[in-house]
Amino acid sequence: MVLENQDNRNLWEKIGDYFSANSIWMKWYCTGCGAIELPPTMTSRFDMERLGMGPMATPRQADVMLITGYLSTKTLRRVIYSYEQMQDPKYIVAFGSCTINGGVYYDSYATINQLDKYIPVDLYIAGCMPRPEAVMNAFADLISMIKKGQANGWRHYQENYEWYKKNQLDSLEEVIIHDEFHE
Amino acid sequence: MTVMNFVYGFIILLAAFIFQTTITGFNRKVTARIQKRYGPRWYQQFLDIFKALRKSSITHGWIFDFGVIMALGGIMATVIFIPVAGFEAFPNMDNVYIISYLLAIGMLGMAMSAAGSGNPWASIGVSRALTNMLAYDIPLMIVIFTLIFAFDTASVSEIAAMQQGMGILGWNAIRMPLGGIVAFIALFGMLGKKPFDSFIAPAEIASGPMVEYGGKHLGFMFILHELMTFIEVSLILNLFFGGGSSILVYAIKYAILYTLVNIISQVMPRYKIDQAVKFFYRVPLVFAIIQGLVVIFLGWGVSVWF
Ligand code: SF4
């Protein structure tokens, strides 16, 4: 997605990106299979806190959202809600082939096939499911992307909001959630 | 009161923030080692705070914003009155009462702001936090009143100075062992460490009062939390563990006390809030009352080593 490589951040943004890159709080959205890969990534075997990453309780506090696998259309609404609650700058990492092209659920009536039509994905991790090594590697990549100012999905979302909204509505008909918490 | 007092106050504030944040970062590493992990960099806590301040932020109304500022203001004002190894920004104003009243401003500001976010988890968290405060405060206050009665002064620095010169035997925690135990347990409650962290439980109530904070608000809350930790640990250190004769001794004792609390809390489970209250009213309250009676009627521990 990153075609142009010119760096037109000012000094403040560079300093800010240094902090953002070295302290990433994450919120994982674990309706897919991938949630089970995260406990070993967090705990003593792989220890993601080395990279300055840690889990956070709510989307408002988080910097990166991990979409760990397939998304049914019903959960996609929640993902969009959560994503829009996060504060800029925010990033999305999508796990597994299900988020790239639908994976084994490519012809399911209930799941979406391509996540970045609905929300801007900064980084994909291929695999079904990616192992913790791959996850750690992806986090290292995310850090270097943020440092170089290339993880601009959130800006892309703001600039192309109509396009994303149209895709969301095409698939979901409405993004509004009807349940006891949202009415 | 001259300009210099305010300059000193500012220095204490800055030093407290940098020192406590470093200690917190160090303790994150200690925690990681307990869990057999490598752990983050020692300055990770600084990165986290500045990162949070860098992000965008959203308001949930006037009360939400005002509460954060009120809490931070109240806590900063309290830090200025904390005596550090005999060094005071405003001499003769380090009264226990001043500190506890100013601290209340910060706590109430936090509660107000969290409740102003309108999130039910925040309300649950706040109610738990205040219940927790009620639980640890009563035993602790009984012990502190005992100290005030015994030494005829409410000045934190004077109580700290009286314990020095006799090594470890001079500490109030040793002279009045039951009171020392109460203070040490209450410190867990004050800092919100396990087993008394039910109000911040991230998996159960989505971090309680903090649930709606993001970006700059969250950054302010982190700064506030560091300063509050400094106040609480300093208070217990000064009153029960002899303060410090020099800044260096103070810093070392402070680090040891905080790290000890952290290490113990890492191997603890979590009390439900009603269990926490029951525990505080069953064990520390009884200890505190016995200690009070011993000091008042027998006078043990007040001048026994003199
Ligand atoms: S990519 Fe594979 S492991 Fe991941 S959600 Fe899809 S089916 Fe599950």
Side-chain angles (χ1 to χ4, degrees):
Chain A
M1 270 222 343
V2 188
L3 295 177
E4 79 284 15
N5 251 346
Q6 83 268 30
D7 190 353
N8 44 17
R9 297 170 295 162
N10 61 29
L11 183 63
W12 276 118
E13 283 168 336
K14 277 188 187 151
I15 296 174
D17 279 346
Y18 167 76
F19 288 128
S20 285
N22 285 301
S23 151
I24 300 179
W25 290 336
M26 50 171 205
K27 175 83 211 145
W28 65 76
Y29 199 88
C30 21
T31 53
C33 317
I36 206 67
E37 305 294 334
L38 285 168
T41 319
M42 267 168 54
T43 49
S44 46
R45 175 92 190 268
F46 293 98
D47 185 22
M48 64 163 67
E49 209 185 6
R50 278 180 301 152
L51 306 178
M53 303 187 70
M56 270 303 189
T58 66
R60 286 232 194 273
Q61 302 165 351
D63 304 308
V64 59
M65 179 141 75
L66 312 179
I67 308 288
T68 57
Y70 60 85
L71 280 176
S72 71
T73 49
K74 205 171 163 187
T75 49
L76 179 61
R77 293 198 183 102
R78 269 79 179 174
V79 167
I80 293 167
Y81 261 49
S82 310
Y83 180 67
E84 290 182 351
Q85 276 184 27
M86 288 163 67
Q87 304 297 318
D88 305 335
K90 51 191 173 185
Y91 316 102
I92 288 196
V93 175
F95 284 42
S97 41
C98 278
T99 51
I100 299 175
N101 59 8
V104 289
Y105 299 104
Y106 71 98
D107 59 351
S108 163
Y109 64 93
T111 62
I112 53 142
N113 281 356
Q114 196 185 333
L115 180 60
D116 66 5
K117 277 162 84 180
Y118 309 96
I119 43 175
V121 178
D122 290 294
L123 199 66
Y124 282 112
I125 313 175
C128 175
M129 189 58 197
R131 278 185 52 79
E133 292 93 333
V135 175
M136 286 299 278
N137 193 13
F139 290 155
D141 282 353
L142 180 69
I143 287 172
S144 70
M145 274 174 76
I146 297 173
K147 264 192 196 138
K148 288 188 206 133
Q150 291 171 347
N152 280 326
W154 57 281
R155 221 173 256 144
H156 197 258
Y157 190 71
Q158 285 172 357
E159 283 159 10
N160 302 292
Y161 189 67
E162 277 80 30
W163 187 79
Y164 282 110
K165 207 76 273 166
K166 184 174 164 298
N167 288 343
Q168 291 168 5
L169 290 175
D170 282 352
S171 296
L172 305 176
E173 290 182 354
E174 57 172 7
V175 184
I176 298 160
I177 300 174
H178 297 287
D179 66 12
E180 65 270 41
F181 299 114
H182 291 96
E183 292 195 332
Chain B
M1 211 176 288
T2 60
V3 181
M4 264 345 258
N5 290 113
F6 290 94
V7 174
Y8 287 149
F10 187 71
I11 291 173
I12 286 200
L13 204 56
L14 208 62
F17 171 68
I18 294 173
F19 178 62
Q20 175 55 42
T21 312
T22 312
I23 298 277
T24 308
F26 172 70
N27 268 283
R28 282 175 67 172
K29 224 163 164 84
V30 171
T31 307
R33 289 296 159 91
I34 292 172
Q35 297 169 352
K36 290 202 171 168
R37 290 187 288 122
Y38 183 72
R41 288 153 286 205
W42 65 268
Y43 53 91
Q44 186 65 45
Q45 194 74 4
F46 286 102
L47 295 177
D48 286 354
I49 289 172
F50 293 132
K51 190 280 310 275
L53 289 176
R54 181 257 168 146
K55 293 186 78 176
S56 72
S57 200
I58 189 177
T59 176
H60 294 278
W62 185 77
I63 295 284
F64 183 75
D65 293 344
F66 178 71
V68 174
I69 294 169
M70 173 172 151
L72 194 59
I75 296 295
M76 282 161 104
T78 321
V79 171
I80 290 173
F81 291 105
I82 296 285
V84 176
F87 177 79
E88 296 161 65
F90 295 92
N92 304 325
M93 287 180 71
D94 56 338
N95 205 295
V96 172
Y97 301 107
I98 292 185
I99 291 174
S100 55
Y101 270 97
L102 280 176
L103 199 57
I105 296 180
M107 303 259 190
L108 291 179
M110 230 161 91
M112 206 169 87
S113 158
S117 71
N119 192 311
W121 295 130
S123 308
I124 295 177
V126 166
S127 83
R128 285 187 187 183
L130 295 180
T131 313
N132 183 52
M133 203 164 125
L134 203 68
Y136 70 73
D137 241 8
I138 291 181
L140 183 66
M141 270 304 159
I142 291 179
V143 177
I144 290 182
F145 286 150
T146 308
L147 285 187
I148 294 174
F149 173 85
F151 298 118
D152 268 334
T153 171
S155 156
V156 177
S157 62
E158 274 177 43
I159 294 182
M162 275 178 206
Q163 304 170 50
Q164 287 158 12
M166 280 173 288
I168 195 168
L169 290 181
W171 296 359
N172 283 334
I174 306 292
R175 289 204 244 175
M176 305 174 185
L178 289 179
I181 292 171
V182 173
F184 190 64
I185 295 175
L187 188 56
F188 284 78
M190 289 165 104
L191 295 174
K193 292 273 185 197
K194 282 181 226 148
F196 309 115
D197 67 338
S198 60
F199 57 91
I200 209 90
E204 289 81 3
I205 54 169
S207 72
M210 314 283 277
V211 59
E212 280 293 333
Y213 293 95
K216 296 188 175 60
H217 288 80
L218 191 62
F220 281 131
M221 290 314 249
F222 266 77
I223 295 177
L224 188 148
H225 184 253
E226 302 302 339
L227 291 178
M228 203 135 100
T229 307
F230 178 80
I231 294 170
E232 287 154 351
V233 178
S234 288
L235 209 58
I236 299 295
L237 183 63
N238 273 322
L239 290 177
F240 295 94
F241 296 93
S245 46
S246 69
I247 301 269
L248 186 66
V249 175
Y250 188 90
I252 292 171
K253 273 163 105 175
Y254 183 106
I256 291 174
L257 182 60
Y258 183 76
T259 309
L260 189 65
V261 169
N262 185 37
I263 289 173
I264 295 175
S265 91
Q266 285 310 321
V267 293
M268 290 274 182
R270 179 187 296 143
Y271 273 144
K272 289 195 290 185
I273 188 67
D274 56 321
Q275 292 169 330
V277 175
K278 252 185 233 151
F279 169 78
F280 268 117
Y281 286 177
R282 200 177 294 142
V283 186
L285 188 62
V286 173
F287 280 12
I289 291 174
I290 294 175
Q291 184 65 66
L293 295 177
V294 165
V295 168
I296 291 170
F297 292 107
L298 301 175
W300 291 356
V302 181
S303 59
V304 80
W305 276 294
F306 286 144

